[in-house]
Amino acid sequence: MVDSSQSIQAEQLKPPITRIGVIGWLRANLFSSVFNSVLTIVTLYFLWKIVPAFVRWAFIDSSWDTTGAACRAAGGACWSIVTKNIRFIIFGFFPYESQWRPLVAMIILFILLLLSSNRRFWKKSLGYAWLLGLVSMGLLLKGGLFGLSSVESTKWSGLPLTLLLSVFGLTAAYPLGIALALGRQSRMPAIKSLCIVYIETIRGVPLISLLFMSSVMFPLFLPEGITINNILRAQVAIILFTAAYIAEVVRGGLQAIGRGQYEAAESMGLNYYQKMRLIILPQALKIVIPPTVGILISAFKDTSLVVIIGLYDLLKTTQSTLSDPRWMGFSIEAYIFIALIYFAGCFSMSSYSRRLERELYRGN
Amino acid sequence: MDNELQKNGDDRSPGEPIIEITEMHKWFGDFHVLKNINLTVHKGERIIICGPSGSGKSTLIRCINRLEEHQKGRIIVDGIELTNDLKNIEKIREEVGMVFQHFNLFPHLSILENLTLGPVWVRKVPKAEAEETAMYYLEKVHIAEQALKYPGQLSGGQQQRVAIARSLCMRPKVMLFDEPTSALDPEMIKEVLDVMIDLAREGMTMIVVSHEMGFAKSAAHRVLFMDEGEILEENIPVEFFENPQHERTKLFLSQILH
């Protein structure tokens, strides 16, 4: 029997308060058991050893705008290697006086990416903006028109090259991956087996070997006199490679969609393309946002492998700087700098994916 | 109250045949699920199909809009024979609405978008007009205030009513119901059945796989009993419930009616 006084009592009961203030928090989170207490103490010891030393090295004793020799004298971190060589690290061999051009191109790219990240702007006008942006970015890099001096694509290097390879590599790989995933589920045996062979072959070889093939083997098959731009070949290799991985992730998402969704779509009279585009893919792609972003992030970092076929991406321009005798021995500082650039790219991708997941949440 | 609807319906029916199934067979692999099915459904007619689980009743109505393929015999819907011709299949599906046991609403679309999707993409109705129709049917299933929510935010009974409205938005000639209330909590069954009875009152042609005998008695013209892939018995509701002919029908009725 539940009488009214009992139920009133039940209402007044609050969850027991076990954590009060800082001491309570410490006890609950850092010293909840003997093992945790030991871990906490050991961690604190290492932090005490490392953090002050790092701060002294990176900030107090550091040099920011000196020569290499002065750096060695100061003893701390030599950020001068970055500040003094920033234009070579970022723009590489692009003609010095024209380096504003890739800079403007990158700014255009960032603005477009920023606009595209907001779903409210996903309209036709954004498509036109991209078209216009692509043309002007190409023009800025290549030149040869409107009084801009022509720049060979062999001179494209540094951050613009990294961005070119990754942004276009990823945006082209994503739809190709989706098409491959759909193809792998096709009822037509020819398409299905073609897709399986493609996906399994590509996933069976390392990206490096694809890059080598694209730069060494591929030209052998071309008729004499025809050459295809080295950057384009690397770009294609990256696209083909990434697409195979995306295809498998998307396939996982497709399998997570129940038969009922297909049947509901079919019973309305939707044809295959409508069914996939309107019902199945929106749900499947949403489910696989986390693993897809994982692939995109690793593909972004893998673009640095193009150094082995002689392209000067951001990593390679940094390494070239390090081989300059005046700056030898400051590799840590230079690598920290480009690590920050890569981190900014990866972190914005993963935080965007989390935002997208939140926005697409539909209470299920 | 018994047969009140049926009498009303009788004024309108029997119309001309809209579904004709003749000597239809279906196998799942070696398993013979449907054996020699002959069934004609007239315009405005309401048919209840019942029978033990595994008797092939769901499979039968799923053959009518080709969610399942039959291997032998003919199925003609609205004058079009079901063959492998995709265009014909899509044409038939436009005219045949289906309500599923598990609702199968599209969870990534709002209720309103669920309802306008078919008309806009299949029937090529302008969006504004489709939304107007959608709101009309949402009113009808008493759920208009939820139009901008997502399926995941509604109860099972509400979702099933939305699913019915979604099918109606296509203005189908026939509605198929595949156990529409069997995934619902008991207190939600009535709200769905009420909507179906309203629909019956308007003369919709309906084929309902269901064990809701109350609904059968009040709204159906005919009750079909299926077992092991065959239509064993077929009768008007009063006769079917009070005077079942077949032994298996008697057994089945005694089990579900207690």
Side-chain angles (χ1 to χ4, degrees):
Chain A
M1 279 260 355
V2 180
D3 60 46
S4 57
S5 68
Q6 250 180 334
S7 64
I8 287 167
Q9 243 179 0
E11 265 172 42
Q12 285 167 345
L13 270 183
K14 283 186 183 136
I17 298 163
T18 46
R19 297 172 201 171
I20 312 168
V22 181
I23 307 278
W25 184 88
L26 282 177
R27 188 170 291 166
N29 291 294
L30 299 178
F31 298 98
S32 58
S33 67
V34 177
F35 181 63
N36 271 352
S37 309
V38 172
L39 275 186
T40 303
I41 290 164
V42 170
T43 311
L44 283 176
Y45 174 75
F46 278 111
L47 285 178
W48 178 66
K49 279 297 214 191
I50 293 167
V51 173
F54 179 79
V55 169
R56 180 174 312 129
W57 175 79
F59 299 106
I60 298 170
D61 293 343
S62 61
S63 336
W64 290 81
D65 195 21
T66 57
T67 60
C71 271
R72 278 187 200 93
C78 181
W79 301 116
S80 314
I81 185 175
V82 175
T83 54
K84 291 284 184 192
N85 297 300
I86 186 82
R87 288 185 65 167
F88 183 75
I89 291 178
I90 299 289
F91 298 113
F93 298 108
F94 208 90
Y96 194 82
E97 63 289 349
S98 304
Q99 283 177 358
W100 62 271
R101 280 158 51 183
L103 182 67
V104 173
M106 284 196 292
I107 291 172
I108 294 176
L109 181 68
F110 285 131
I111 291 174
L112 285 172
L113 286 175
L114 206 67
L115 287 178
S116 310
S117 71
N118 192 329
R119 295 197 310 133
R120 266 184 308 160
F121 296 135
W122 288 6
K123 292 182 194 132
K124 227 179 215 160
S125 48
L126 185 64
Y128 292 128
W130 268 103
L131 207 65
L132 199 70
L134 287 177
V135 171
S136 46
M137 281 187 273
L139 188 67
L140 282 166
L141 284 182
K142 208 161 172 39
L145 271 178
F146 305 120
L148 296 173
S149 58
S150 182
V151 176
E152 289 282 313
S153 66
T154 44
K155 298 227 167 98
W156 299 0
S157 37
L159 186 59
L161 179 63
T162 294
L163 289 175
L164 179 80
L165 290 173
S166 47
V167 172
F168 296 108
L170 303 190
T171 42
Y174 191 63
L176 182 60
I178 293 171
L180 283 167
L182 292 176
R184 191 167 183 167
Q185 291 207 324
S186 168
R187 285 197 199 139
M188 284 174 268
I191 292 181
K192 183 176 177 149
S193 36
L194 206 68
C195 289
I196 292 179
V197 168
Y198 174 85
I199 292 170
E200 296 306 331
T201 313
I202 297 281
R203 294 205 312 160
V205 295
L207 177 55
I208 294 189
S209 65
L210 275 186
L211 289 170
F212 270 131
M213 273 195 263
S214 75
S215 75
V216 182
M217 254 172 64
F218 184 64
L220 299 179
F221 297 114
L222 286 178
E224 205 147 339
I226 292 183
T227 52
I228 292 180
N229 181 318
N230 217 3
I231 295 178
L232 184 63
R233 278 184 273 145
Q235 179 88 77
V236 169
I238 289 171
I239 292 171
L240 296 182
F241 184 78
T242 310
Y245 283 84
I246 288 179
E248 283 301 272
V249 164
V250 171
R251 188 166 69 98
L254 289 173
Q255 281 174 349
I257 306 299
R259 273 260 12 104
Q261 292 291 309
Y262 287 86
E263 287 177 353
E266 282 163 16
S267 71
M268 271 184 178
L270 293 179
N271 63 34
Y272 176 81
Y273 295 101
Q274 293 170 331
K275 176 178 72 181
M276 285 301 171
R277 190 168 96 68
L278 300 168
I279 309 299
I280 307 300
L281 281 176
Q283 297 183 59
L285 296 181
K286 184 185 121 190
I287 296 174
V288 297
I289 287 174
T292 310
V293 172
I295 288 174
L296 297 184
I297 283 177
S298 67
F300 172 55
K301 291 180 292 185
D302 283 351
T303 57
S304 57
L305 288 172
V306 296
V307 296
I308 59 149
I309 58 167
L311 293 180
Y312 273 71
D313 79 325
L314 182 61
L315 184 65
K316 186 66 182 171
T317 52
T318 309
Q319 284 177 330
S320 312
T321 309
L322 289 171
S323 58
D324 181 338
R326 284 174 298 166
W327 296 102
M328 256 181 200
F330 299 116
S331 51
I332 295 179
E333 292 85 341
Y335 284 136
I336 286 181
F337 174 67
I338 59 165
L340 286 176
I341 294 181
Y342 276 106
F343 177 78
C346 296
F347 185 73
S348 36
M349 274 193 262
S350 75
S351 50
Y352 177 61
S353 87
R354 264 174 286 139
R355 185 177 124 199
L356 203 57
E357 274 181 80
R358 231 177 10 252
E359 284 178 5
L360 294 175
Y361 180 73
R362 294 288 183 261
N364 58 314
Chain B
M1 155 192 166
D2 266 13
N3 293 325
E4 168 231 329
L5 256 176
Q6 192 194 328
K7 279 175 207 139
N8 286 349
D10 278 343
D11 297 340
R12 285 176 255 238
S13 65
E16 55 204 279
I18 188 152
I19 298 172
E20 289 166 274
I21 303 176
T22 39
E23 290 168 23
M24 190 265 276
H25 292 257
K26 171 164 183 61
W27 287 264
F28 281 132
D30 287 337
F31 180 54
H32 202 169
V33 252
L34 294 175
K35 299 166 189 163
N36 196 26
I37 302 289
N38 289 286
L39 176 67
T40 303
V41 181
H42 299 271
K43 267 192 186 141
E45 211 179 4
R46 292 181 293 279
I47 293 177
I48 301 283
I49 305 176
C50 60
S53 83
S55 58
K57 42 195 198 310
S58 287
T59 311
L60 170 59
I61 68 163
R62 288 159 60 87
C63 281
I64 295 173
N65 65 352
R66 196 66 165 196
L67 287 182
E68 302 287 354
E69 197 178 323
H70 61 283
Q71 277 92 32
K72 218 174 137 190
R74 305 179 70 183
I75 300 179
I76 298 172
V77 181
D78 198 24
I80 304 170
E81 177 164 7
L82 271 172
T83 56
N84 280 326
D85 185 343
L86 265 179
K87 282 279 154 266
N88 277 352
I89 294 173
E90 278 162 18
K91 220 178 282 168
I92 286 172
R93 284 172 176 168
E94 281 181 39
E95 306 300 337
V96 178
M98 186 161 207
V99 174
F100 299 87
Q101 182 178 359
H102 296 287
F103 336 130
N104 296 351
L105 294 179
F106 305 129
H108 62 301
L109 300 177
S110 72
I111 300 304
L112 191 62
E113 289 165 334
N114 263 278
L115 266 67
T116 53
L117 186 112
V120 167
W121 289 91
V122 180
R123 292 244 194 247
K124 313 289 180 203
V125 174
K127 197 172 168 223
E129 193 186 322
E131 282 179 358
E132 213 172 289
T133 315
M135 289 313 293
Y136 170 79
Y137 283 112
L138 283 179
E139 298 276 359
K140 226 172 170 137
V141 300
H142 319 294
I143 210 162
E145 68 284 0
Q146 318 274 17
L148 298 177
K149 288 195 180 168
Y150 286 89
Q153 297 166 303
L154 303 189
S155 74
Q158 290 174 322
Q159 288 195 45
Q160 192 61 299
R161 285 185 280 147
V162 171
I164 294 173
R166 176 175 71 176
S167 289
L168 292 175
C169 280
M170 289 290 287
R171 305 207 186 266
K173 294 183 176 153
V174 182
M175 285 281 283
L176 307 175
F177 293 82
D178 189 0
E179 309 208 26
T181 56
S182 44
L184 295 175
D185 291 333
E187 73 268 26
M188 292 173 184
I189 291 178
K190 187 174 177 297
E191 64 186 54
V192 171
L193 288 181
D194 285 346
V195 166
M196 289 170 64
I197 287 172
D198 283 346
L199 202 54
R201 217 168 256 147
E202 285 163 20
M204 173 62 77
T205 311
M206 294 161 75
I207 304 179
V208 184
V209 172
S210 176
H211 295 160
E212 291 299 332
M213 293 306 139
F215 177 74
K217 279 179 193 165
S218 61
H221 295 103
R222 273 192 284 163
V223 180
L224 265 58
F225 176 74
M226 282 185 74
D227 194 17
E228 294 180 355
E230 288 171 291
I231 298 177
L232 279 187
E233 193 164 340
E234 180 183 334
N235 219 328
I236 59 168
V238 189
E239 281 296 303
F240 180 83
F241 290 111
E242 281 165 19
N243 192 14
Q245 302 298 309
H246 210 285
E247 273 313 306
R248 278 191 270 176
T249 317
K250 286 178 193 165
L251 180 68
F252 176 76
L253 285 176
S254 72
Q255 278 165 343
I256 62 162
L257 299 174
H258 304 293

